[in-house]
Amino acid sequence: MEAFNIALRGIFIDNMIFAYFLGMCSFLAVSKKVSTALGLGLAVIFVLSITVPVNWLLQEFILKEGALSWLGADFATIDLTFLQFIMFIAVIASMVQLVEMVIEKVSPALYGSLGIFLPLIAVNCAILGSSLFMVQRDYTIVEATSFGFGSGVGFFLAIVALAAIREKLKYSRVPNGLKGLGITMLITGLMGLAFKSFIGIAL
Amino acid sequence: MQQSNTYIIIFSAIMTIVIGGLMSLTSVVLKPMQDKQVELDTKKKILGAVMDISAIKDPDEILAVYNKRVRSVVVDIDGNDIEIDGKGNPVVAEKVNIQKNYKVDPETRSYPVFMFMAENGEDVDSYIFPMFGAGLWDWISGYIALDKDLNTVRGIAFDHRQETPGLGARITEDEVQGRYVGKKLFSETGSFESINMVKGEGNTGLSQHEVDGLSGATMTAKGVNKMLEHYISCYDAFIAKRKPDNKITLNY
Amino acid sequence: MSNEAAVVEKVQEVVKAPAEPLLSKRRKKIVSDPLSEDNPITVQVLGICSALAVTVKMEPTLVMSVAVVFVIVFSNLIISLLRNTIPNRVRIIVQLAVIATLVTLVSEVLKAYYYDMFKVLSVFVGLIITNCIVMGRLEAYAMGNKPYDSILDGLGSGFGYAWIILTVAFFRELLGSGSIFDFKIFEAVGWYSFPNNGLMVDPVGAFMVLGILIWVQRTKTGYVEH
């Protein structure tokens, strides 16, 4: 139940985009067409659902203070937290690579639609951000997995909705200086306001 | 330019050694300083519940005051002292992670108690209990200090991750925390009656067990009430044991 | 923004070396371009992720800016020094490793000497790693240019990023909390009834302020996106 709540909050309340501004770069760059936004969104869900639990294992059994105690009592006091950033980013980069290779082998059709977005995702702040949040909030493995999935779905929703709005925007008269990035920021702000109405939902 | 595999492997190995060495070095050099900062942060929060420490600027002085005035024990749900944890390591009250403990079953948690000693260093002046719970957005936590009668609130200090600024986040304001001072946790007959933050702001005629609320922050207030009630009831056994006036017993 | 450029140029003038065009027109351009015409945030649309979440108050924003400038300048320098030895096939991971190391340094130092700020910035220090500006400059500039030029380029991009987020933070703190660097500015001038705007402390406020800032800045430089 708690895990379900965490996923729900990740989607609507603690939305990666609207509450933490994470993944803005790809959010803004790939939201011009709904079809590409769909692809990126799916890829993000996919990668987040994998990397957050993997990084959880890494944190729990290697990085955090006393995590190495399974190797023997001598290792119980070792604290490798300072390697956290570099380990996480390495896991994310290699996971993305791995996922790319697997998809290419298993389903060339899916690779055709998702493939080009995968390299982009390695440096998406939402991915690293989720792993860092997971550590900070002390989730269990189940909670971490559902958090990763929920954050991904939140990102997916946000980017597809924005792309749909931007497609319609082509037919609007926007002042010159506001075209593109400017108006997109304002729209994102308004969407964030709409998402505010989900405050307090829980199961 | 396409390099050979050997070159790439050697290059990567050198990079790994240099970077790993550099990071370990920083970590080792800065570790004592970081530990001190974390320790200072915890002790500041504990002291903050009983006294105004904002005037003390020097970190060493805060640590000195803490070491002189505060004694600590860790108890279990039945109020018995715990000295070693499940793995046989000694338990230190300041190191008990309240957030982690919150997730486990109340029966098996470790409960730290901090005792603020009187100037003579022998009598307990007030008891400080940590609390932890859920607010509207994320966790809220706090330390509540009780007078030596273990009934009257001496002071309270809240902390939160991300309550709404200007609404729920006001629980960290001195004025709001001051509303708890002098309130009672036990009724005249001695039964536990937690202090509730009521709905709305500007209420009058509040009882000994109520404090004025925050307008627009009903959910945060609910979280605070739940946290207070839950944690004080977990310390029930300890409080019953330590109560100076034995005529007042707890109703279970 | 021209003020900012002037300041940077002044700083550069101090380190003038004889005969060498250390501050040739081309080099001045490297620094000044990212400040306005080629701003990483408002024009290139990079590095917005980690920037906005910390802009509720001026103080954390300033710390964040310093951290980012530090990371950009030094990673640019290191990669530029190594540019002829880095194997092409593993260059991305080498760049990431260098950035991650520098960010870890920043984070560890903050934790040791500035713990309160470390708690406020929390995960966002770590997110400098995925700040697209840093990666972007390494890949686009430092891999192909000399160390000194790369430092200038890093300074330019870093300050271009800094002044935008500082401006956003200025408006958010002023309107949202009625203060600047935690100094209650409206109370100081005797206006006690100043209503704080809750929208500004909310993420939504950041989007609005940045949107308007981009509008103003692009209208000035005449840049139009199609």
Side-chain angles (χ1 to χ4, degrees):
Chain A
M1 210 63 224
E2 182 59 27
F4 192 74
N5 257 333
I6 286 172
L8 207 65
R9 286 187 43 165
I11 299 172
F12 295 112
I13 305 176
D14 288 342
N15 190 293
M16 276 294 151
I17 301 270
F18 300 128
Y20 297 113
F21 314 91
L22 300 183
M24 287 300 294
C25 304
S26 34
F27 177 72
L28 294 172
V30 194
S31 59
K32 287 189 180 121
K33 273 171 69 191
V34 173
S35 53
T36 47
L38 266 173
L40 180 75
L42 286 176
V44 167
I45 298 182
F46 202 66
V47 172
L48 265 178
S49 312
I50 296 175
T51 55
V52 175
V54 169
N55 279 336
W56 186 89
L57 292 173
L58 199 68
Q59 170 76 13
E60 199 66 16
F61 294 110
I62 296 179
L63 293 178
K64 78 173 186 194
E65 194 171 357
L68 285 171
S69 52
W70 54 272
L71 277 177
D74 295 345
F75 295 91
T77 53
I78 295 178
D79 180 7
L80 292 178
T81 320
F82 65 94
L83 289 176
Q84 194 187 52
F85 294 153
I86 204 159
M87 290 291 264
F88 280 9
I89 198 76
V91 163
I92 290 168
S94 43
M95 268 308 178
V96 168
Q97 195 89 50
L98 210 69
V99 167
E100 196 179 346
M101 288 194 285
V102 170
I103 294 183
E104 197 177 4
K105 270 269 180 318
V106 176
S107 160
L110 187 64
Y111 181 76
S113 55
L114 277 190
I116 50 161
F117 299 112
L118 285 170
L120 210 85
I121 283 176
V123 285
N124 185 326
C125 329
I127 312 284
L128 181 64
S130 297
S131 287
L132 294 177
F133 275 129
M134 171 270 297
V135 171
Q136 204 184 46
R137 293 180 188 163
D138 253 327
Y139 285 143
T140 62
I141 178 80
V142 180
E143 288 170 346
T145 316
S146 73
F147 172 70
F149 177 74
S151 302
V153 175
F155 183 87
F156 173 84
L157 260 187
I159 194 167
V160 172
L162 181 72
I165 295 176
R166 284 183 80 174
E167 276 192 0
K168 294 275 178 297
L169 206 64
K170 268 187 265 174
Y171 308 106
S172 314
R173 275 168 48 87
V174 178
N176 268 343
L178 206 53
K179 264 185 193 156
L181 184 61
I183 192 75
T184 313
M185 289 311 284
L186 294 182
I187 291 170
T188 314
L190 291 175
M191 287 168 72
L193 268 187
F195 267 67
K196 285 264 133 188
S197 57
F198 290 117
I199 286 178
I201 54 164
L203 284 174
Chain B
M1 181 171 53
Q2 191 70 271
Q3 289 92 347
S4 69
N5 280 341
T6 330
Y7 179 79
I8 294 179
I9 291 169
I10 293 174
F11 184 87
S12 313
I14 294 175
M15 275 298 279
T16 315
I17 292 168
V18 169
I19 285 177
L22 195 66
M23 292 214 293
S24 321
L25 189 73
T26 340
S27 172
V28 170
V29 170
L30 294 176
K31 186 84 184 159
M33 196 64 199
Q34 292 175 351
D35 288 345
K36 197 179 161 193
Q37 291 274 4
V38 175
E39 184 192 343
L40 182 69
D41 192 59
T42 317
K43 295 189 169 172
K44 253 178 162 168
K45 276 190 208 145
I46 297 169
L47 282 180
V50 278
M51 57 191 283
D52 183 20
I53 52 160
S54 56
I56 312 175
K57 289 275 177 281
D58 182 20
D60 290 326
E61 205 171 314
I62 292 178
L63 292 179
V65 170
Y66 186 92
N67 292 337
K68 185 167 166 254
R69 301 292 295 274
V70 180
R71 303 277 173 279
S72 58
V73 288
V74 182
V75 296
D76 61 11
I77 189 92
D78 299 320
N80 301 319
D81 288 6
I82 314 177
E83 263 148 30
I84 47 168
D85 64 8
K87 287 176 194 151
N89 300 320
V91 180
V92 182
E94 285 81 7
K95 293 248 168 86
V96 173
N97 187 332
I98 313 294
Q99 182 169 10
K100 241 178 213 143
N101 262 288
Y102 176 69
K103 288 201 172 181
V104 299
D105 188 48
E107 304 282 320
T108 53
R109 282 183 206 154
S110 317
Y111 295 98
V113 180
F114 305 97
M115 285 161 288
F116 190 69
M117 311 304 277
E119 287 288 356
N120 66 17
E122 282 168 22
D123 305 323
V124 178
D125 183 58
S126 59
Y127 293 88
I128 305 164
F129 305 104
M131 308 176 284
F132 194 90
L136 168 61
W137 297 105
D138 211 316
W139 57 257
I140 47 177
S141 67
Y143 288 93
I144 182 168
L146 302 182
D147 274 344
K148 54 177 174 278
D149 65 356
L150 279 162
N151 184 9
T152 317
V153 177
R154 166 75 70 89
I156 204 160
F158 291 120
D159 195 6
H160 66 97
R161 165 65 60 71
Q162 48 171 27
E163 296 307 298
T164 325
L167 300 175
R170 283 178 57 209
I171 55 170
T172 54
E173 285 177 10
D174 289 343
E175 193 271 320
V176 176
Q177 294 175 0
R179 294 176 191 177
Y180 280 87
V181 176
K183 300 286 177 182
K184 309 271 190 214
L185 281 169
F186 294 90
S187 69
E188 309 234 313
T189 58
S191 60
F192 173 49
E193 198 177 336
S194 183
I195 302 168
N196 269 313
M197 185 174 260
V198 298
K199 201 172 172 345
E201 199 153 5
N203 295 288
T204 50
L206 295 164
S207 77
Q208 286 287 23
H209 304 285
E210 286 172 331
V211 291
D212 198 9
L214 305 170
S215 61
T218 314
M219 294 296 281
T220 305
K222 265 189 187 162
V224 167
N225 293 342
K226 220 173 131 190
M227 167 172 87
L228 199 62
E229 180 162 14
H230 178 69
Y231 268 82
I232 296 300
S233 67
C234 288
Y235 279 107
D236 242 7
F238 175 84
I239 292 174
K241 274 189 185 174
R242 293 289 181 117
K243 271 218 166 155
D245 185 0
N246 282 326
K247 274 176 289 179
I248 302 173
T249 44
L250 296 172
N251 290 346
Y252 286 105
Chain C
M1 64 217 82
S2 49
N3 277 344
E4 192 94 36
V7 171
V8 174
E9 278 166 23
K10 228 177 237 164
V11 173
Q12 295 303 323
E13 264 164 22
V14 181
V15 289
K16 220 174 221 170
E20 269 296 317
L22 254 186
L23 276 169
S24 59
K25 222 176 193 165
R26 182 184 65 86
R27 285 183 163 151
K28 271 188 195 156
K29 229 172 127 54
I30 296 176
V31 180
S32 64
D33 261 6
L35 293 180
S36 113
E37 274 118 67
D38 200 20
N39 190 286
I41 292 187
T42 60
V43 178
Q44 300 173 22
V45 202
L46 292 175
I48 299 174
C49 327
S50 61
L52 292 179
V54 298
T55 53
V56 176
K57 290 265 170 75
M58 288 291 276
E59 202 186 342
T61 313
L62 190 67
V63 176
M64 187 74 181
S65 308
V66 172
V68 169
V69 170
F70 169 83
V71 173
I72 296 188
V73 170
F74 279 89
S75 57
N76 252 2
L77 172 66
I78 294 170
I79 292 295
S80 172
L81 285 172
L82 293 176
R83 69 184 186 282
N84 293 325
T85 58
I86 297 176
N88 200 31
R89 268 188 284 169
V90 293
R91 67 174 200 287
I92 299 282
I93 199 80
V94 171
Q95 291 167 5
L96 270 178
V98 168
I99 299 170
T101 310
L102 287 168
V103 171
T104 308
L105 284 184
V106 170
S107 159
E108 295 276 314
V109 168
L110 270 183
K111 194 177 174 194
Y113 294 103
Y114 208 175
Y115 191 70
D116 290 336
M117 197 43 71
F118 176 77
K119 282 198 298 180
V120 172
L121 293 176
S122 67
V123 301
F124 295 102
V125 177
L127 288 174
I128 298 175
I129 297 174
T130 47
N131 188 320
C132 333
I133 300 178
V134 187
M135 273 300 270
R137 289 334 290 166
L138 292 187
E139 184 69 7
Y141 201 90
M143 282 302 285
N145 286 283
K146 292 209 178 95
Y148 180 63
D149 286 353
S150 299
I151 293 181
L152 290 184
D153 179 73
L155 279 176
S157 292
F159 284 119
Y161 166 90
W163 84 260
I164 294 276
I165 67 167
L166 280 170
T167 313
V168 173
F170 174 80
F171 285 110
R172 284 183 78 186
E173 186 172 354
L174 184 70
L175 301 175
S177 314
S179 59
I180 294 297
F181 282 108
D182 282 331
F183 174 71
K184 294 276 176 202
I185 204 143
F186 289 109
E187 283 176 21
V189 295
W191 187 8
Y192 289 98
S193 61
F194 177 77
N196 287 340
N197 187 341
L199 192 69
M200 283 296 153
V201 281
D202 201 87
V204 173
F207 288 119
M208 298 293 174
V209 173
L210 187 63
I212 293 166
L213 194 64
I214 290 167
W215 189 6
V216 171
Q217 212 249 342
R218 284 189 174 179
T219 311
K220 253 187 101 179
T221 56
Y223 176 87
V224 180
E225 201 178 310
H226 292 286

